[in-house]
Amino acid sequence: REGNMKFVNKLKKRALLAAAAIFVGGTAIAETQLDFWSWRQEDAEAYNSIIAEFEKANPDIKVTYTAHEPTNYATILTTALAGGSGPDIIHTRAYGAFESMAAPGYLESLDGKVDLSGFSFDELLGVTLRSNGEVYSVPMASQTILVYYNPDILSANNITPPSTWNEFKAAASKLKSAGVVPFANGSKDGWTMEVMAGAFMPNFYGQDFFQQVVSEKTDFEDSKFVGAMEKFAELREFLPQGHEGIDYATMKQLFTSGVAGFFVGGSWEIPGFRAAGINFDIMQGPSAEVGGKRMVATWLDGGYAVNSASESKAAALKFIEFTASTDFGQMLTDKLANVAAVEGAVSSDPLLAKISGFHNETTPYIMLVGYRFKKPTGSTLLQNGLQELFAGSKSATQVSKEVSDGIKNSE
């Protein structure tokens, strides 16, 4: 009964908002209220300023941005959608997580409704439902895994930013000997271990491995993958003491407070690190050997969709059209230091320019792009395995076998 009353009250609220009027030049205009849900809590200020620009051009539409806790976002969203409610505008993830929203019919198809000509095939692939080939979300931005470093700490210890694996390990060893924490990264949150692996393992398993494994010409027990994981495990001694208890928030604090020399994370960290006032720079993960490739792992980091059950679908689609524009992409680039997916957005930011240069040698972020369509996901299997690897309870061979077996038996 209490749930029914809440639902009735929500309907009353929507009715009042729909009946509300605003005055522009002395003329009353009916106002449509749109709810926009996301997991990007750290981006709330930027999104609100972007939304304000949309509202200036569309005074009859009011958009309210709500950012949920990232790890609970999918559960909160799917629960609402399954109950026939939820927001009008949905910040979707991509690939397998996107399909879990699109396949049950929760999202409105954008085919023929939104101009998507400004996006590449690869970007649209992350928001395309495989069963019918239709696009249900406007691509947001690409993300890149980076190695962040503190130039002041490296300089104080006479360390040149390393470019090869051996140089990288030597730099970490020198910092550790000097009493400096080499890496800020901990292993409590499994997803951060997957990110860290994405910076180092690809340059060992090679550029061709992704296509070979997704086409089932090999599996994750391949010696290339096992060997790459063994190399990655060599960094365990350079993590903070008690790394098993260090979560994502603490990792960032260790880096922004100047305690650690390196931090491995996504390109989304740039605004937060700048706001913290830390002197930092970025680089690709090191090459396996002198003259080897220094690939960066990249992926489409979500998109913008319309709830198929929205009562304000026309207004929601108007906002979605805005997210597909170069103007929106430019604001996303300027305010969030993102590499916008839409063509035409240009950045004068030197770090974004550096990331664009890194994109000359890229590789898909393997588990997110290829193995998040079934359960258990490849990410879940790898994250759990890497935590056990860095806890010293399992070998790279054991973890790789469990990942391989888990993917083959996923449903």
Side-chain angles (χ1 to χ4, degrees):
R1 185 174 180 179
E2 181 181 353
N4 290 336
M5 286 302 298
K6 286 182 178 179
F7 180 69
V8 170
N9 288 335
K10 183 173 182 180
L11 289 179
K12 287 181 179 178
K13 181 182 177 182
R14 284 186 176 274
L16 288 170
L17 287 168
I22 58 174
F23 288 85
V24 179
T27 303
I29 301 175
E31 184 178 271
T32 301
Q33 169 72 33
L34 298 177
D35 292 323
F36 176 9
W37 284 9
S38 174
W39 73 91
R40 309 283 293 225
Q41 294 178 323
E42 68 275 21
D43 297 343
E45 183 178 352
Y47 270 107
N48 283 326
S49 67
I50 292 172
I51 287 168
E53 293 301 314
F54 170 80
E55 291 174 344
K56 285 180 185 177
N58 300 273
D60 58 329
I61 301 174
K62 173 71 175 175
V63 182
T64 301
Y65 179 84
T66 302
H68 295 277
E69 201 281 321
T71 56
N72 296 325
Y73 177 64
T75 301
I76 294 169
L77 180 60
T78 52
T79 300
L81 294 174
S85 59
D88 303 283
I89 301 160
I90 300 168
H91 203 167
T92 68
R93 299 191 191 270
Y95 308 105
F98 153 79
E99 282 214 351
S100 69
M101 298 284 108
Y106 297 144
L107 308 182
E108 184 78 5
S109 172
L110 302 182
D111 282 19
K113 300 169 187 173
V114 175
D115 181 4
L116 299 170
S117 61
F119 300 92
S120 70
F121 173 80
D122 285 346
E123 287 159 338
L124 291 172
L125 193 62
V127 287
T128 298
L129 186 60
R130 293 178 300 167
S131 63
N132 64 10
E134 293 186 16
V135 176
Y136 288 80
S137 188
V138 172
M140 180 183 76
S142 67
Q143 297 292 355
T144 306
I145 295 180
L146 305 167
V147 177
Y148 292 81
Y149 65 93
N150 185 318
D152 298 333
I153 291 179
L154 265 60
S155 178
N157 289 276
N158 297 313
I159 297 172
T160 301
S163 60
T164 68
W165 178 251
N166 287 339
E167 290 173 354
F168 201 88
K169 284 188 63 183
S173 182
K174 191 171 185 179
L175 289 176
K176 186 176 180 180
S177 297
V180 177
V181 177
F183 283 97
N185 296 69
S187 60
K188 183 177 181 180
D189 294 331
W191 70 269
T192 68
M193 290 300 295
E194 183 182 4
V195 168
M196 194 174 181
F200 300 107
M201 287 181 60
N203 289 322
F204 283 99
Y205 60 62
Q207 192 168 33
D208 297 332
F209 181 74
F210 177 81
Q211 288 300 334
Q212 291 171 348
V213 74
V214 296
S215 62
E216 299 184 351
K217 292 178 180 177
T218 188
D219 58 25
F220 287 97
E221 291 187 82
D222 190 302
S223 60
K224 293 178 184 176
F225 189 80
V226 176
M229 190 178 291
E230 288 173 342
K231 284 293 185 181
F232 177 46
E234 292 176 6
L235 297 181
R236 182 174 61 181
E237 65 173 301
F238 302 119
L239 268 56
Q241 185 175 3
H243 61 83
E244 297 91 342
I246 294 177
D247 61 9
Y248 176 54
T250 306
M251 285 164 44
K252 292 193 291 185
Q253 290 170 0
L254 287 173
F255 187 69
T256 56
S257 62
V259 171
F262 295 100
F263 177 98
V264 181
S267 46
W268 64 83
E269 303 288 2
I270 291 173
F273 286 170
R274 281 176 169 161
I278 185 73
N279 183 25
F280 71 94
D281 205 340
I282 58 174
M283 64 182 184
Q284 314 103 303
S287 62
E289 56 190 9
V290 176
K293 288 183 178 294
R294 298 185 68 183
M295 296 185 293
V296 291
T298 63
W299 69 98
L300 176 68
D301 191 24
Y304 309 100
V306 173
N307 184 343
S308 61
S310 171
E311 297 173 1
S312 305
K313 202 173 291 183
L317 281 167
K318 197 167 189 177
F319 184 81
I320 293 302
E321 288 174 2
F322 169 63
T323 67
S325 69
T326 301
D327 287 344
F328 178 87
Q330 190 62 56
M331 285 187 275
L332 199 71
T333 297
D334 294 340
K335 297 176 183 294
L336 290 173
N338 282 171
V339 179
V342 68
E343 291 179 0
V346 180
S347 177
S348 58
D349 187 314
L351 289 184
L352 289 192
K354 189 177 280 192
I355 292 172
S356 294
F358 294 165
H359 285 186
N360 290 329
E361 291 185 339
T362 63
T363 185
Y365 186 39
I366 192 164
M367 293 303 182
L368 190 157
V369 176
Y371 296 97
R372 286 198 186 177
F373 296 95
K374 297 180 180 180
K375 299 292 179 69
T377 68
S379 288
T380 297
L381 294 164
L382 182 62
Q383 290 171 17
N384 293 341
L386 291 176
Q387 286 177 316
E388 292 174 318
L389 178 72
F390 273 68
S393 60
K394 286 185 178 173
S395 68
T397 299
Q398 290 173 309
V399 171
S400 297
K401 177 173 172 49
E402 290 180 1
V403 168
S404 188
D405 290 344
I407 286 174
K408 289 174 183 176
N409 294 320
S410 61
E411 299 177 351

